[in-house]
Amino acid sequence: NAGVTQTPKFQVLKTGQSMTLQCAQDMNHEYMSWYRQDPGMGLRLIHYSVGAGITDQGEVPNGYNVSRSTTEDFPLRLLSAAPSQTSVYFCASSWSGDHSQETQYFGPGTRLLVL
Amino acid sequence: DQQVKQNSPSLSVQEGRISILNCDYTNSMFDYFLWYKKYPAEGPTFLISISSIKDKNEDGRFTVFLNKSAKHLSLHIVPSQPGDSAVYFCAASGKAAGNKLTFGGGTRVLVKP
């Protein structure tokens, strides 16, 4: 099993550009989520999904869109990149249900720099 | 306002000694707590968890203690090994918040040989 994969590993964008961060998992997990990690802030939840066709906002959703058309894939779209979106982005997946959801498997991350 | 705080950004310990990492939370609705470990250029990995109905959970060299009245949890690593050098994140969740994770800011641990 590849687990959770993310592409690209690193990306540089100019302010105003858009892009999609890809995330895929091969564990048939229902729950998938996107986090951003900033120094001293830990990981903050951007968006999450409890299954195909169902998404919801997390703590910091502004400027990001998601969709979940299949169980495996959960792409994150930056609509118009801003320097404040410079961060490391992690995708994670897990089983749904009490305390299974919290034990999440993380991808290796995408480092994004917005100039 | 951070609901989960790790007040020590870094910790240095000698190999073989105990590492103690601390975490405080403010939301009394949290009922499940976890520690994740992160190496550079990798994603976090789950380490250990504890439910609010317990005050201690042990897994090999790792023990998590929960003090609900103080809204405080700690992770003990005994004995510490150089491979334990990493960033450790405390996280909390609660049914009222849909079991979504809230993370602390992380503590960087360096274990010196």
Side-chain angles (χ1 to χ4, degrees), chain A:
Chain A
N1 284 355
V4 180
T5 58
Q6 292 184 237
T7 55
K9 283 188 168 49
F10 180 70
Q11 183 72 47
V12 179
L13 289 179
K14 293 181 179 178
T15 296
Q17 287 185 317
S18 62
M19 79 161 293
T20 299
L21 281 64
Q22 301 292 344
C23 173
Q25 53 93 7
D26 61 0
M27 297 172 281
N28 206 28
H29 286 161
E30 300 99 341
Y31 187 86
M32 295 187 74
S33 52
W34 276 101
Y35 296 89
R36 58 178 290 173
Q37 183 196 358
D38 301 293
M41 303 286 290
L43 288 86
R44 292 181 292 168
L45 183 65
I46 303 172
H47 285 286
Y48 65 98
S49 168
V50 298
I54 306 169
T55 64
D56 207 345
Q57 296 181 352
E59 180 186 354
V60 287
N62 291 342
Y64 308 94
N65 273 357
V66 291
S67 60
R68 184 100 179 266
S69 56
T70 66
T71 299
E72 295 79 19
D73 300 301
F74 192 44
L76 178 73
R77 297 183 187 84
L78 279 70
L79 309 172
S80 176
S84 61
Q85 293 178 304
T86 293
S87 187
V88 182
Y89 291 84
F90 290 100
C91 179
S93 72
S94 63
W95 298 112
S96 288
D98 271 1
H99 305 326
S100 297
Q101 182 175 299
E102 293 97 321
T103 305
Q104 298 185 6
Y105 296 78
F106 283 83
T110 294
R111 187 174 295 273
L112 178 67
L113 174 62
V114 182
L115 302 174

Side-chain angles (χ1 to χ4, degrees), chain B residues 19-61:
Chain B
S19 295
I20 300 177
L21 290 74
N22 294 303
C23 178
D24 297 296
Y25 61 96
T26 56
N27 190 339
S28 58
M29 301 301 289
F30 288 145
D31 60 11
Y32 196 66
F33 305 89
L34 309 91
W35 288 92
Y36 279 82
K37 176 179 180 178
K38 185 185 178 304
Y39 292 118
E42 294 183 12
T45 55
F46 169 74
L47 187 59
I48 192 169
S49 62
I50 186 167
S51 168
S52 60
I53 62 173
K54 294 185 174 182
D55 55 17
K56 175 182 174 181
N57 189 27
E58 193 171 353
D59 184 1
R61 296 185 296 112

